[in-house]
């Protein structure tokens, strides 16, 4: 029987935490009575520097429910790092960990299937969204475009899988040896290996509160996903450069021709055009380089990706 840990990152989630705890308690009671998970299984809420009373609420829930544990981070480090902090804390306490957003929009019935898949020899179980009907139109479309773009950029990841997944203790152990700072867990987990499978996840509505994933947080995640796992943008830059050299050769041919037939003076427009065009291309190329250099910069500093303020065991 597995001792299960559920890790849930919380940023300003005071409106939804009590309800989520209730739902998880029902799930635990059910799984324990079926003999699928041990009585020592637990939920670890990671408070990611919330500005509201989320941590006070976690402390209260911890007092009321023996299965609730808490991890208070020193400040807001973002979804990916908060999950990492939770997993690295829970890995010494559990045989396997499921990560799920605190709003429980993912289908928690999947957790039982994940445990079953673990018992059948899988170390990694991905929750794959089969329906995002509950997500808004814009969120759905932007997410789909994002997955497609990543695939085209050569990032090896599971389509329509976010961060709802089960990892066994030995995967967590392996993950702890990946010291990268620019975290993109969806890209990292497939790199670790071990047997894996998927379960179907139907996304529900958020029970309360609003999405904590602002547009800028989403764009940053998308950028991290591509630039942390693919160097294709760099080679695309080289290809683009070659194309522009080719185009300028054609223009050079035209210039020679116009000299020969004495119509050379009115070249101002084409000159200005190419100056701006090439300038733009160079800037874009430098920007892409800059992004990668920025990443190297933050990797070489080896700063810790989170700091723990307090643990409720
Ligand atoms: N979250 C976090 N730190 C942040 C932003 C979000 O820990 O800086 C958590 C949030 O509390 C939630 C999860 O990440 O548990 C996903 O956020 P949300 O449900 O708001 O995003 P959405 O489902 O709309 O993509
Ligand atoms: Mg959500």
């Amino acid at each position: 029987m597995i001792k299960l840990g559920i890790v849930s990152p919380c940023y300003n989630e005071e409106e939804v935490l009590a309800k989520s705890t209730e739902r998880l308690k029902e799930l635990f009671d059910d799984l324990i009575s079926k003999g699928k998970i041990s009585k020592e299984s637990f939920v670890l809420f990671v408070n990611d520097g919330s500005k509201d009373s989320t941590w006070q609420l976690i402390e209260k829930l911890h007092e009321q429910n023996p299965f609730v544990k808490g991890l208070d981070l020193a400040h807001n480090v973002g979804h990916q790092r908060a999950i990492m902090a939770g997993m690295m804390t829970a890995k010494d306490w559990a045989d396997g960990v499921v990560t799920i957003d605190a709003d429980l929009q993912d289908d928690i019935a999947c957790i039982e299937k994940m445990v079953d898949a673990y018992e059948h020899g899988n170390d990694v179980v991905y929750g794959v969204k089969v329906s995002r009907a509950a997500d808004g139109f814009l969120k759905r479309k932007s997410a789909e475009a994002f997955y497609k773009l990543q695939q085209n950029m050569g990032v090896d990841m599971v389509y329509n899988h976010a961060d709802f997944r089960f990892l066994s203790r030995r995967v967590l152990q392996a993950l702890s040896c990946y010291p990268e700072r620019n975290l993109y867990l969806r890209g990292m987990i497939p790199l670790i290996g071990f047997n894996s499978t998927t379960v179907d996840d139907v996304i529900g509505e958020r029970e309360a509160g609003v999405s904590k994933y602002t547009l800028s947080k989403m764009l940053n995640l998308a950028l991290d996903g591509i630039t942390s796992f693919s160097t294709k943008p760099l080679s695309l830059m080289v290809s683009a450069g070659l194309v522009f050299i080719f185009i300028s050769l054609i223009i050079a041919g035209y210039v020679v021709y116009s000299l020969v037939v004495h119509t050379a003076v009115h070249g101002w427009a084409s000159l200005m055009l190419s100056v701006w065009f090439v300038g733009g291309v160079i800037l874009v190329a430098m920007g892409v380089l800059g992004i990668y250099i920025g990443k190297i910069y933050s990797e070489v500093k080896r700063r810790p990706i989170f700091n723990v303020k307090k643990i409720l065991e």
Side-chain angles (χ1 to χ4, degrees), residues 71-175:
L71 174 69
D72 193 17
L73 299 182
H75 62 104
N76 181 252
V77 290
H79 178 238
Q80 297 288 299
R81 290 175 170 203
I83 293 180
M84 191 67 167
M87 290 194 299
M88 291 303 111
T89 308
K91 80 176 192 315
D92 304 324
W93 305 339
D95 303 317
V97 162
V98 169
T99 49
I100 187 167
D101 292 346
D103 53 16
L104 301 189
Q105 279 187 287
D106 298 291
D107 181 9
I108 58 169
C110 286
I111 294 176
E112 179 173 352
K113 295 182 213 154
M114 288 174 168
V115 169
D116 292 342
Y118 167 74
E119 300 292 357
H120 284 99
N122 292 289
D123 283 278
V124 180
V125 189
Y126 300 102
V128 172
K129 296 175 187 175
V130 286
S131 158
R132 310 178 72 118
D135 274 342
F137 178 79
L138 216 66
K139 177 120 195 162
R140 208 163 58 227
K141 287 293 164 207
S142 61
E144 278 166 12
F146 169 44
Y147 286 112
K148 291 251 161 63
L149 178 66
Q150 295 215 316
Q151 278 185 336
N152 293 337
M153 285 289 167
V155 183
D156 173 25
M157 55 177 285
V158 180
Y159 192 75
N160 255 339
H161 157 69
D163 289 297
F164 179 38
R165 70 175 84 78
F166 171 92
L167 300 177
S168 72
R169 176 185 248 162
R170 54 183 184 179
V171 175
L172 292 169
Q173 200 57 49
L175 182 64

Side-chain angles (χ1 to χ4, degrees), residues 226-227 230-234 288-297:
I226 292 165
T227 53
S230 165
T231 47
K232 210 161 174 179
L234 295 174
V288 175
L289 278 177
I291 291 173
Y292 281 92
I293 292 172
K295 279 182 178 274
I296 297 170
Y297 176 66

